[in-house]
Amino acid sequence: MFEAFILICSISNPNLYHTLEDTYGPYEYKKQCITRAYTIAAELPAYMPDYVAVKYKCFNSEDAEGKVRT
């Protein structure tokens, strides 16, 4: 199962970052997770207009065993 995380950055302060975690997942396939990450990035301006999506990561929650692999 894959979980989506999106790194967002403030437009006014490029040193200000936040991580968003998708609440709809986890997803069975990585492609579903990637699609969801792009959807979140596309909808971000409507909810947080001062931020832009910079990166995403789809973690395999079954392989992680409590560790974050980058």
Side-chain angles (χ1 to χ4, degrees):
M1 303 299 276
F2 292 91
E3 297 180 47
F5 293 87
I6 297 83
L7 181 67
I8 61 172
C9 178
S10 171
I11 295 171
S12 60
N13 183 357
N15 295 321
L16 183 60
Y17 288 92
H18 295 286
T19 304
L20 301 178
E21 180 179 356
D22 177 34
T23 58
Y24 289 175
Y27 303 95
E28 187 173 353
Y29 301 105
K30 188 171 185 176
K31 187 173 182 176
Q32 293 171 315
C33 181
I34 293 170
T35 300
R36 179 63 181 144
Y38 276 94
T39 301
I40 292 170
E43 294 176 354
L44 184 65
Y47 297 97
M48 300 177 79
D50 295 335
Y51 286 85
V52 63
V54 179
K55 294 183 180 185
Y56 72 89
K57 185 78 174 183
C58 288
F59 287 105
N60 187 338
S61 57
E62 294 173 347
D63 290 343
E65 297 179 13
K67 298 177 184 175
V68 175
R69 298 183 328 168
T70 56

